[in-house]
PDB file of all heavy atoms in Angstrom:
ATOM      1  N   PHE A  89     -11.795  17.309 -17.534  1.00  0.00           N
ATOM      2  CA  PHE A  89     -10.422  16.831 -17.696  1.00  0.00           C
ATOM      3  C   PHE A  89      -9.467  17.511 -16.718  1.00  0.00           C
ATOM      4  O   PHE A  89      -8.603  16.857 -16.126  1.00  0.00           O
ATOM      5  CB  PHE A  89      -9.951  17.064 -19.139  1.00  0.00           C
ATOM      6  CG  PHE A  89      -8.578  16.519 -19.400  1.00  0.00           C
ATOM      7  CD1 PHE A  89      -8.394  15.184 -19.701  1.00  0.00           C
ATOM      8  CD2 PHE A  89      -7.460  17.355 -19.337  1.00  0.00           C
ATOM      9  CE1 PHE A  89      -7.126  14.678 -19.942  1.00  0.00           C
ATOM     10  CE2 PHE A  89      -6.195  16.863 -19.567  1.00  0.00           C
ATOM     11  CZ  PHE A  89      -6.019  15.513 -19.878  1.00  0.00           C
ATOM     12  N   SER A  90      -9.588  18.831 -16.549  1.00  0.00           N
ATOM     13  CA  SER A  90      -8.689  19.545 -15.633  1.00  0.00           C
ATOM     14  C   SER A  90      -8.845  19.050 -14.205  1.00  0.00           C
ATOM     15  O   SER A  90      -7.844  18.893 -13.478  1.00  0.00           O
ATOM     16  CB  SER A  90      -8.954  21.055 -15.695  1.00  0.00           C
ATOM     17  OG  SER A  90      -8.603  21.588 -16.936  1.00  0.00           O
ATOM     18  N   TYR A  91     -10.081  18.801 -13.780  1.00  0.00           N
ATOM     19  CA  TYR A  91     -10.309  18.275 -12.431  1.00  0.00           C
ATOM     20  C   TYR A  91      -9.654  16.914 -12.267  1.00  0.00           C
ATOM     21  O   TYR A  91      -9.048  16.617 -11.232  1.00  0.00           O
ATOM     22  CB  TYR A  91     -11.812  18.185 -12.143  1.00  0.00           C
ATOM     23  CG  TYR A  91     -12.420  19.483 -11.673  1.00  0.00           C
ATOM     24  CD1 TYR A  91     -12.717  20.503 -12.564  1.00  0.00           C
ATOM     25  CD2 TYR A  91     -12.695  19.701 -10.330  1.00  0.00           C
ATOM     26  CE1 TYR A  91     -13.272  21.710 -12.148  1.00  0.00           C
ATOM     27  CE2 TYR A  91     -13.245  20.901  -9.881  1.00  0.00           C
ATOM     28  CZ  TYR A  91     -13.534  21.901 -10.802  1.00  0.00           C
ATOM     29  OH  TYR A  91     -14.068  23.089 -10.366  1.00  0.00           O
ATOM     30  N   VAL A  92      -9.770  16.086 -13.295  1.00  0.00           N
ATOM     31  CA  VAL A  92      -9.202  14.741 -13.221  1.00  0.00           C
ATOM     32  C   VAL A  92      -7.678  14.793 -13.326  1.00  0.00           C
ATOM     33  O   VAL A  92      -6.971  14.154 -12.533  1.00  0.00           O
ATOM     34  CB  VAL A  92      -9.791  13.854 -14.333  1.00  0.00           C
ATOM     35  CG1 VAL A  92      -9.081  12.496 -14.363  1.00  0.00           C
ATOM     36  CG2 VAL A  92     -11.282  13.666 -14.129  1.00  0.00           C
ATOM     37  N   GLU A  93      -7.175  15.551 -14.293  1.00  0.00           N
ATOM     38  CA  GLU A  93      -5.726  15.597 -14.525  1.00  0.00           C
ATOM     39  C   GLU A  93      -4.968  15.996 -13.261  1.00  0.00           C
ATOM     40  O   GLU A  93      -4.040  15.298 -12.833  1.00  0.00           O
ATOM     41  CB  GLU A  93      -5.411  16.585 -15.652  1.00  0.00           C
ATOM     42  CG  GLU A  93      -3.928  16.718 -15.939  1.00  0.00           C
ATOM     43  CD  GLU A  93      -3.605  17.773 -16.984  1.00  0.00           C
ATOM     44  OE1 GLU A  93      -4.503  18.600 -17.291  1.00  0.00           O
ATOM     45  OE2 GLU A  93      -2.462  17.792 -17.469  1.00  0.00           O
ATOM     46  N   PHE A  94      -5.346  17.104 -12.659  1.00  0.00           N
ATOM     47  CA  PHE A  94      -4.616  17.573 -11.487  1.00  0.00           C
ATOM     48  C   PHE A  94      -5.047  16.817 -10.226  1.00  0.00           C
ATOM     49  O   PHE A  94      -4.251  16.653  -9.299  1.00  0.00           O
ATOM     50  CB  PHE A  94      -4.791  19.076 -11.321  1.00  0.00           C
ATOM     51  CG  PHE A  94      -4.218  19.846 -12.477  1.00  0.00           C
ATOM     52  CD1 PHE A  94      -5.043  20.410 -13.441  1.00  0.00           C
ATOM     53  CD2 PHE A  94      -2.855  19.978 -12.630  1.00  0.00           C
ATOM     54  CE1 PHE A  94      -4.512  21.102 -14.521  1.00  0.00           C
ATOM     55  CE2 PHE A  94      -2.316  20.662 -13.702  1.00  0.00           C
ATOM     56  CZ  PHE A  94      -3.145  21.218 -14.658  1.00  0.00           C
ATOM     57  N   GLY A  95      -6.278  16.343 -10.226  1.00  0.00           N
ATOM     58  CA  GLY A  95      -6.744  15.552  -9.099  1.00  0.00           C
ATOM     59  C   GLY A  95      -5.990  14.247  -8.942  1.00  0.00           C
ATOM     60  O   GLY A  95      -5.803  13.751  -7.831  1.00  0.00           O
ATOM     61  N   LEU A  96      -5.527  13.677 -10.056  1.00  0.00           N
ATOM     62  CA  LEU A  96      -4.763  12.429  -9.981  1.00  0.00           C
ATOM     63  C   LEU A  96      -3.429  12.637  -9.262  1.00  0.00           C
ATOM     64  O   LEU A  96      -2.942  11.742  -8.569  1.00  0.00           O
ATOM     65  CB  LEU A  96      -4.530  11.863 -11.379  1.00  0.00           C
ATOM     66  CG  LEU A  96      -5.781  11.307 -12.074  1.00  0.00           C
ATOM     67  CD1 LEU A  96      -5.454  10.872 -13.501  1.00  0.00           C
ATOM     68  CD2 LEU A  96      -6.385  10.157 -11.288  1.00  0.00           C
ATOM     69  N   TYR A  97      -2.850  13.810  -9.412  1.00  0.00           N
ATOM     70  CA  TYR A  97      -1.619  14.118  -8.673  1.00  0.00           C
ATOM     71  C   TYR A  97      -1.922  14.304  -7.191  1.00  0.00           C
ATOM     72  O   TYR A  97      -1.154  13.864  -6.325  1.00  0.00           O
ATOM     73  CB  TYR A  97      -0.952  15.368  -9.266  1.00  0.00           C
ATOM     74  CG  TYR A  97      -0.242  15.079 -10.567  1.00  0.00           C
ATOM     75  CD1 TYR A  97      -0.950  15.017 -11.765  1.00  0.00           C
ATOM     76  CD2 TYR A  97       1.130  14.842 -10.600  1.00  0.00           C
ATOM     77  CE1 TYR A  97      -0.308  14.728 -12.962  1.00  0.00           C
ATOM     78  CE2 TYR A  97       1.780  14.556 -11.791  1.00  0.00           C
ATOM     79  CZ  TYR A  97       1.050  14.500 -12.974  1.00  0.00           C
ATOM     80  OH  TYR A  97       1.689  14.207 -14.155  1.00  0.00           O
ATOM     81  N   PHE A  98      -3.029  14.951  -6.900  1.00  0.00           N
ATOM     82  CA  PHE A  98      -3.467  15.100  -5.512  1.00  0.00           C
ATOM     83  C   PHE A  98      -3.703  13.721  -4.881  1.00  0.00           C
ATOM     84  O   PHE A  98      -3.237  13.445  -3.767  1.00  0.00           O
ATOM     85  CB  PHE A  98      -4.748  15.928  -5.467  1.00  0.00           C
ATOM     86  CG  PHE A  98      -5.283  16.196  -4.088  1.00  0.00           C
ATOM     87  CD1 PHE A  98      -4.931  17.351  -3.404  1.00  0.00           C
ATOM     88  CD2 PHE A  98      -6.150  15.307  -3.476  1.00  0.00           C
ATOM     89  CE1 PHE A  98      -5.424  17.604  -2.127  1.00  0.00           C
ATOM     90  CE2 PHE A  98      -6.653  15.552  -2.205  1.00  0.00           C
ATOM     91  CZ  PHE A  98      -6.283  16.703  -1.517  1.00  0.00           C
ATOM     92  N   CYS A  99      -4.405  12.856  -5.596  1.00  0.00           N
ATOM     93  CA  CYS A  99      -4.725  11.530  -5.071  1.00  0.00           C
ATOM     94  C   CYS A  99      -3.481  10.681  -4.877  1.00  0.00           C
ATOM     95  O   CYS A  99      -3.411   9.862  -3.952  1.00  0.00           O
ATOM     96  CB  CYS A  99      -5.710  10.825  -5.998  1.00  0.00           C
ATOM     97  SG  CYS A  99      -7.372  11.534  -5.981  1.00  0.00           S
ATOM     98  N   TYR A 100      -2.503  10.849  -5.748  1.00  0.00           N
ATOM     99  CA  TYR A 100      -1.228  10.143  -5.589  1.00  0.00           C
ATOM    100  C   TYR A 100      -0.601  10.545  -4.258  1.00  0.00           C
ATOM    101  O   TYR A 100      -0.108   9.698  -3.501  1.00  0.00           O
ATOM    102  CB  TYR A 100      -0.317  10.499  -6.760  1.00  0.00           C
ATOM    103  CG  TYR A 100       0.870   9.600  -6.997  1.00  0.00           C
ATOM    104  CD1 TYR A 100       1.249   9.278  -8.290  1.00  0.00           C
ATOM    105  CD2 TYR A 100       1.647   9.094  -5.952  1.00  0.00           C
ATOM    106  CE1 TYR A 100       2.348   8.472  -8.545  1.00  0.00           C
ATOM    107  CE2 TYR A 100       2.746   8.290  -6.190  1.00  0.00           C
ATOM    108  CZ  TYR A 100       3.101   7.986  -7.487  1.00  0.00           C
ATOM    109  OH  TYR A 100       4.190   7.184  -7.736  1.00  0.00           O
ATOM    110  N   GLY A 101      -0.617  11.857  -3.975  1.00  0.00           N
ATOM    111  CA  GLY A 101      -0.086  12.319  -2.700  1.00  0.00           C
ATOM    112  C   GLY A 101      -0.824  11.716  -1.520  1.00  0.00           C
ATOM    113  O   GLY A 101      -0.219  11.330  -0.517  1.00  0.00           O
ATOM    114  N   VAL A 102      -2.158  11.619  -1.638  1.00  0.00           N
ATOM    115  CA  VAL A 102      -2.961  10.985  -0.584  1.00  0.00           C
ATOM    116  C   VAL A 102      -2.532   9.538  -0.393  1.00  0.00           C
ATOM    117  O   VAL A 102      -2.390   9.053   0.739  1.00  0.00           O
ATOM    118  CB  VAL A 102      -4.460  11.066  -0.932  1.00  0.00           C
ATOM    119  CG1 VAL A 102      -5.290  10.241   0.063  1.00  0.00           C
ATOM    120  CG2 VAL A 102      -4.939  12.518  -0.943  1.00  0.00           C
ATOM    121  N   CYS A 103      -2.310   8.838  -1.490  1.00  0.00           N
ATOM    122  CA  CYS A 103      -1.898   7.432  -1.416  1.00  0.00           C
ATOM    123  C   CYS A 103      -0.528   7.283  -0.758  1.00  0.00           C
ATOM    124  O   CYS A 103      -0.292   6.326  -0.010  1.00  0.00           O
ATOM    125  CB  CYS A 103      -1.869   6.824  -2.815  1.00  0.00           C
ATOM    126  SG  CYS A 103      -3.488   6.617  -3.572  1.00  0.00           S
ATOM    127  N   LEU A 104       0.364   8.206  -1.033  1.00  0.00           N
ATOM    128  CA  LEU A 104       1.685   8.144  -0.403  1.00  0.00           C
ATOM    129  C   LEU A 104       1.585   8.352   1.105  1.00  0.00           C
ATOM    130  O   LEU A 104       2.363   7.779   1.869  1.00  0.00           O
ATOM    131  CB  LEU A 104       2.608   9.195  -1.029  1.00  0.00           C
ATOM    132  CG  LEU A 104       3.057   8.893  -2.454  1.00  0.00           C
ATOM    133  CD1 LEU A 104       3.831  10.077  -3.039  1.00  0.00           C
ATOM    134  CD2 LEU A 104       3.904   7.638  -2.510  1.00  0.00           C
ATOM    135  N   SER A 105       0.632   9.152   1.525  1.00  0.00           N
ATOM    136  CA  SER A 105       0.381   9.293   2.961  1.00  0.00           C
ATOM    137  C   SER A 105      -0.206   8.008   3.537  1.00  0.00           C
ATOM    138  O   SER A 105       0.232   7.535   4.588  1.00  0.00           O
ATOM    139  CB  SER A 105      -0.579  10.465   3.209  1.00  0.00           C
ATOM    140  OG  SER A 105      -0.997  10.502   4.558  1.00  0.00           O
ATOM    141  N   ALA A 106      -1.171   7.432   2.830  1.00  0.00           N
ATOM    142  CA  ALA A 106      -1.828   6.215   3.317  1.00  0.00           C
ATOM    143  C   ALA A 106      -0.848   5.057   3.460  1.00  0.00           C
ATOM    144  O   ALA A 106      -0.936   4.260   4.399  1.00  0.00           O
ATOM    145  CB  ALA A 106      -2.963   5.834   2.367  1.00  0.00           C
ATOM    146  N   GLY A 107       0.091   4.956   2.532  1.00  0.00           N
ATOM    147  CA  GLY A 107       1.029   3.831   2.559  1.00  0.00           C
ATOM    148  C   GLY A 107       2.407   4.194   3.057  1.00  0.00           C
ATOM    149  O   GLY A 107       3.373   3.461   2.806  1.00  0.00           O
ATOM    150  N   ARG A 108       2.500   5.279   3.779  1.00  0.00           N
ATOM    151  CA  ARG A 108       3.806   5.807   4.169  1.00  0.00           C
ATOM    152  C   ARG A 108       4.656   4.803   4.935  1.00  0.00           C
ATOM    153  O   ARG A 108       5.855   4.674   4.673  1.00  0.00           O
ATOM    154  CB  ARG A 108       3.613   7.068   4.999  1.00  0.00           C
ATOM    155  CG  ARG A 108       4.910   7.714   5.434  1.00  0.00           C
ATOM    156  CD  ARG A 108       4.665   9.070   6.040  1.00  0.00           C
ATOM    157  NE  ARG A 108       5.914   9.657   6.512  1.00  0.00           N
ATOM    158  CZ  ARG A 108       6.065  10.922   6.843  1.00  0.00           C
ATOM    159  NH1 ARG A 108       5.047  11.731   6.759  1.00  0.00           N
ATOM    160  NH2 ARG A 108       7.221  11.380   7.267  1.00  0.00           N
ATOM    161  N   MET A 109       4.092   4.087   5.866  1.00  0.00           N
ATOM    162  CA  MET A 109       4.905   3.170   6.661  1.00  0.00           C
ATOM    163  C   MET A 109       5.378   1.982   5.848  1.00  0.00           C
ATOM    164  O   MET A 109       6.277   1.240   6.278  1.00  0.00           O
ATOM    165  CB  MET A 109       4.148   2.707   7.900  1.00  0.00           C
ATOM    166  CG  MET A 109       2.996   1.767   7.675  1.00  0.00           C
ATOM    167  SD  MET A 109       2.321   1.138   9.236  1.00  0.00           S
ATOM    168  CE  MET A 109       3.712   0.207   9.870  1.00  0.00           C
ATOM    169  N   HIS A 110       4.795   1.798   4.634  1.00  0.00           N
ATOM    170  CA  HIS A 110       5.218   0.691   3.782  1.00  0.00           C
ATOM    171  C   HIS A 110       6.325   1.102   2.812  1.00  0.00           C
ATOM    172  O   HIS A 110       7.259   0.344   2.572  1.00  0.00           O
ATOM    173  CB  HIS A 110       4.017   0.153   2.997  1.00  0.00           C
ATOM    174  CG  HIS A 110       2.909  -0.338   3.871  1.00  0.00           C
ATOM    175  ND1 HIS A 110       3.029  -1.438   4.690  1.00  0.00           N
ATOM    176  CD2 HIS A 110       1.648   0.136   4.069  1.00  0.00           C
ATOM    177  CE1 HIS A 110       1.901  -1.629   5.360  1.00  0.00           C
ATOM    178  NE2 HIS A 110       1.043  -0.678   4.994  1.00  0.00           N
ATOM    179  N   TRP A 111       6.225   2.327   2.226  1.00  0.00           N
ATOM    180  CA  TRP A 111       7.227   2.712   1.232  1.00  0.00           C
ATOM    181  C   TRP A 111       8.416   3.453   1.822  1.00  0.00           C
ATOM    182  O   TRP A 111       9.524   3.366   1.295  1.00  0.00           O
ATOM    183  CB  TRP A 111       6.605   3.548   0.105  1.00  0.00           C
ATOM    184  CG  TRP A 111       6.066   4.900   0.476  1.00  0.00           C
ATOM    185  CD1 TRP A 111       4.783   5.224   0.780  1.00  0.00           C
ATOM    186  CD2 TRP A 111       6.814   6.133   0.553  1.00  0.00           C
ATOM    187  NE1 TRP A 111       4.672   6.567   1.060  1.00  0.00           N
ATOM    188  CE2 TRP A 111       5.891   7.151   0.911  1.00  0.00           C
ATOM    189  CE3 TRP A 111       8.155   6.476   0.340  1.00  0.00           C
ATOM    190  CZ2 TRP A 111       6.282   8.482   1.080  1.00  0.00           C
ATOM    191  CZ3 TRP A 111       8.548   7.800   0.504  1.00  0.00           C
ATOM    192  CH2 TRP A 111       7.609   8.787   0.874  1.00  0.00           C
ATOM    193  N   MET A 112       8.228   4.160   2.934  1.00  0.00           N
ATOM    194  CA  MET A 112       9.321   4.941   3.505  1.00  0.00           C
ATOM    195  C   MET A 112      10.557   4.092   3.860  1.00  0.00           C
ATOM    196  O   MET A 112      11.689   4.508   3.583  1.00  0.00           O
ATOM    197  CB  MET A 112       8.840   5.702   4.743  1.00  0.00           C
ATOM    198  CG  MET A 112       8.354   7.117   4.453  1.00  0.00           C
ATOM    199  SD  MET A 112       9.740   8.213   4.104  1.00  0.00           S
ATOM    200  CE  MET A 112       8.927   9.791   4.140  1.00  0.00           C
ATOM    201  N   PRO A 113      10.387   2.904   4.441  1.00  0.00           N
ATOM    202  CA  PRO A 113      11.584   2.110   4.764  1.00  0.00           C
ATOM    203  C   PRO A 113      12.304   1.577   3.527  1.00  0.00           C
ATOM    204  O   PRO A 113      13.442   1.113   3.615  1.00  0.00           O
ATOM    205  CB  PRO A 113      11.018   0.962   5.609  1.00  0.00           C
ATOM    206  CG  PRO A 113       9.692   1.443   6.093  1.00  0.00           C
ATOM    207  CD  PRO A 113       9.174   2.316   5.004  1.00  0.00           C
ATOM    208  N   HIS A 114      11.625   1.620   2.371  1.00  0.00           N
ATOM    209  CA  HIS A 114      12.201   1.069   1.141  1.00  0.00           C
ATOM    210  C   HIS A 114      12.176   2.117   0.029  1.00  0.00           C
ATOM    211  O   HIS A 114      11.936   1.795  -1.129  1.00  0.00           O
ATOM    212  CB  HIS A 114      11.404  -0.169   0.713  1.00  0.00           C
ATOM    213  CG  HIS A 114      11.129  -1.136   1.813  1.00  0.00           C
ATOM    214  ND1 HIS A 114      12.110  -1.938   2.373  1.00  0.00           N
ATOM    215  CD2 HIS A 114       9.973  -1.414   2.495  1.00  0.00           C
ATOM    216  CE1 HIS A 114      11.581  -2.676   3.333  1.00  0.00           C
ATOM    217  NE2 HIS A 114      10.290  -2.373   3.434  1.00  0.00           N
ATOM    218  N   LYS A 115      12.434   3.363   0.375  1.00  0.00           N
ATOM    219  CA  LYS A 115      12.208   4.442  -0.568  1.00  0.00           C
ATOM    220  C   LYS A 115      13.092   4.368  -1.817  1.00  0.00           C
ATOM    221  O   LYS A 115      12.654   4.735  -2.913  1.00  0.00           O
ATOM    222  CB  LYS A 115      12.366   5.793   0.127  1.00  0.00           C
ATOM    223  CG  LYS A 115      13.608   5.983   0.951  1.00  0.00           C
ATOM    224  CD  LYS A 115      13.477   7.237   1.807  1.00  0.00           C
ATOM    225  CE  LYS A 115      14.659   7.394   2.744  1.00  0.00           C
ATOM    226  NZ  LYS A 115      14.471   8.557   3.643  1.00  0.00           N
ATOM    227  N   LYS A 116      14.328   3.895  -1.679  1.00  0.00           N
ATOM    228  CA  LYS A 116      15.190   3.776  -2.857  1.00  0.00           C
ATOM    229  C   LYS A 116      14.697   2.685  -3.799  1.00  0.00           C
ATOM    230  O   LYS A 116      14.725   2.836  -5.029  1.00  0.00           O
ATOM    231  CB  LYS A 116      16.630   3.497  -2.433  1.00  0.00           C
ATOM    232  CG  LYS A 116      17.291   4.672  -1.733  1.00  0.00           C
ATOM    233  CD  LYS A 116      18.746   4.379  -1.396  1.00  0.00           C
ATOM    234  CE  LYS A 116      19.397   5.585  -0.719  1.00  0.00           C
ATOM    235  NZ  LYS A 116      20.824   5.306  -0.355  1.00  0.00           N
ATOM    236  N   LEU A 117      14.242   1.575  -3.228  1.00  0.00           N
ATOM    237  CA  LEU A 117      13.701   0.497  -4.040  1.00  0.00           C
ATOM    238  C   LEU A 117      12.436   0.946  -4.769  1.00  0.00           C
ATOM    239  O   LEU A 117      12.250   0.664  -5.960  1.00  0.00           O
ATOM    240  CB  LEU A 117      13.390  -0.718  -3.155  1.00  0.00           C
ATOM    241  CG  LEU A 117      12.759  -1.930  -3.853  1.00  0.00           C
ATOM    242  CD1 LEU A 117      13.707  -2.481  -4.908  1.00  0.00           C
ATOM    243  CD2 LEU A 117      12.410  -3.002  -2.821  1.00  0.00           C
ATOM    244  N   VAL A 118      11.576   1.677  -4.057  1.00  0.00           N
ATOM    245  CA  VAL A 118      10.345   2.175  -4.672  1.00  0.00           C
ATOM    246  C   VAL A 118      10.672   3.211  -5.758  1.00  0.00           C
ATOM    247  O   VAL A 118      10.034   3.232  -6.816  1.00  0.00           O
ATOM    248  CB  VAL A 118       9.414   2.786  -3.604  1.00  0.00           C
ATOM    249  CG1 VAL A 118       8.173   3.384  -4.248  1.00  0.00           C
ATOM    250  CG2 VAL A 118       9.011   1.722  -2.587  1.00  0.00           C
ATOM    251  N   LEU A 119      11.683   4.029  -5.522  1.00  0.00           N
ATOM    252  CA  LEU A 119      12.102   4.994  -6.540  1.00  0.00           C
ATOM    253  C   LEU A 119      12.553   4.282  -7.808  1.00  0.00           C
ATOM    254  O   LEU A 119      12.210   4.701  -8.933  1.00  0.00           O
ATOM    255  CB  LEU A 119      13.226   5.874  -6.002  1.00  0.00           C
ATOM    256  CG  LEU A 119      13.787   6.913  -6.980  1.00  0.00           C
ATOM    257  CD1 LEU A 119      12.702   7.907  -7.400  1.00  0.00           C
ATOM    258  CD2 LEU A 119      14.979   7.654  -6.355  1.00  0.00           C
ATOM    259  N   ALA A 120      13.309   3.211  -7.645  1.00  0.00           N
ATOM    260  CA  ALA A 120      13.752   2.434  -8.810  1.00  0.00           C
ATOM    261  C   ALA A 120      12.552   1.837  -9.537  1.00  0.00           C
ATOM    262  O   ALA A 120      12.513   1.806 -10.773  1.00  0.00           O
ATOM    263  CB  ALA A 120      14.715   1.334  -8.367  1.00  0.00           C
ATOM    264  N   LEU A 121      11.552   1.381  -8.775  1.00  0.00           N
ATOM    265  CA  LEU A 121      10.365   0.774  -9.374  1.00  0.00           C
ATOM    266  C   LEU A 121       9.557   1.790 -10.165  1.00  0.00           C
ATOM    267  O   LEU A 121       9.192   1.539 -11.323  1.00  0.00           O
ATOM    268  CB  LEU A 121       9.496   0.149  -8.275  1.00  0.00           C
ATOM    269  CG  LEU A 121       8.160  -0.440  -8.732  1.00  0.00           C
ATOM    270  CD1 LEU A 121       8.374  -1.574  -9.737  1.00  0.00           C
ATOM    271  CD2 LEU A 121       7.357  -0.941  -7.523  1.00  0.00           C
ATOM    272  N   VAL A 122       9.275   2.949  -9.575  1.00  0.00           N
ATOM    273  CA  VAL A 122       8.465   3.947 -10.285  1.00  0.00           C
ATOM    274  C   VAL A 122       9.237   4.515 -11.478  1.00  0.00           C
ATOM    275  O   VAL A 122       8.642   4.858 -12.507  1.00  0.00           O
ATOM    276  CB  VAL A 122       7.978   5.078  -9.344  1.00  0.00           C
ATOM    277  CG1 VAL A 122       7.077   4.523  -8.249  1.00  0.00           C
ATOM    278  CG2 VAL A 122       9.130   5.867  -8.758  1.00  0.00           C
ATOM    279  N   SER A 123      10.558   4.605 -11.354  1.00  0.00           N
ATOM    280  CA  SER A 123      11.365   5.071 -12.481  1.00  0.00           C
ATOM    281  C   SER A 123      11.282   4.086 -13.639  1.00  0.00           C
ATOM    282  O   SER A 123      11.153   4.478 -14.809  1.00  0.00           O
ATOM    283  CB  SER A 123      12.828   5.259 -12.061  1.00  0.00           C
ATOM    284  OG  SER A 123      12.940   6.224 -11.046  1.00  0.00           O
ATOM    285  N   SER A 124      11.352   2.804 -13.317  1.00  0.00           N
ATOM    286  CA  SER A 124      11.256   1.766 -14.347  1.00  0.00           C
ATOM    287  C   SER A 124       9.893   1.794 -15.020  1.00  0.00           C
ATOM    288  O   SER A 124       9.791   1.686 -16.251  1.00  0.00           O
ATOM    289  CB  SER A 124      11.514   0.391 -13.723  1.00  0.00           C
ATOM    290  OG  SER A 124      12.801   0.325 -13.156  1.00  0.00           O
ATOM    291  N   LEU A 125       8.844   1.941 -14.228  1.00  0.00           N
ATOM    292  CA  LEU A 125       7.500   2.024 -14.797  1.00  0.00           C
ATOM    293  C   LEU A 125       7.357   3.256 -15.693  1.00  0.00           C
ATOM    294  O   LEU A 125       6.739   3.186 -16.764  1.00  0.00           O
ATOM    295  CB  LEU A 125       6.459   2.073 -13.679  1.00  0.00           C
ATOM    296  CG  LEU A 125       6.161   0.763 -12.955  1.00  0.00           C
ATOM    297  CD1 LEU A 125       5.272   1.010 -11.743  1.00  0.00           C
ATOM    298  CD2 LEU A 125       5.491  -0.230 -13.905  1.00  0.00           C
TER     299      LEU A 125
END
């Protein structure tokens, strides 16, 4: 569980790097979306 729990935060960071050119230009919109979720 500990490997998975903290690993999911690590993987989220990896995903933000992978999709950086997609979310960075719309960061406020994405912030509103993740906040709503």
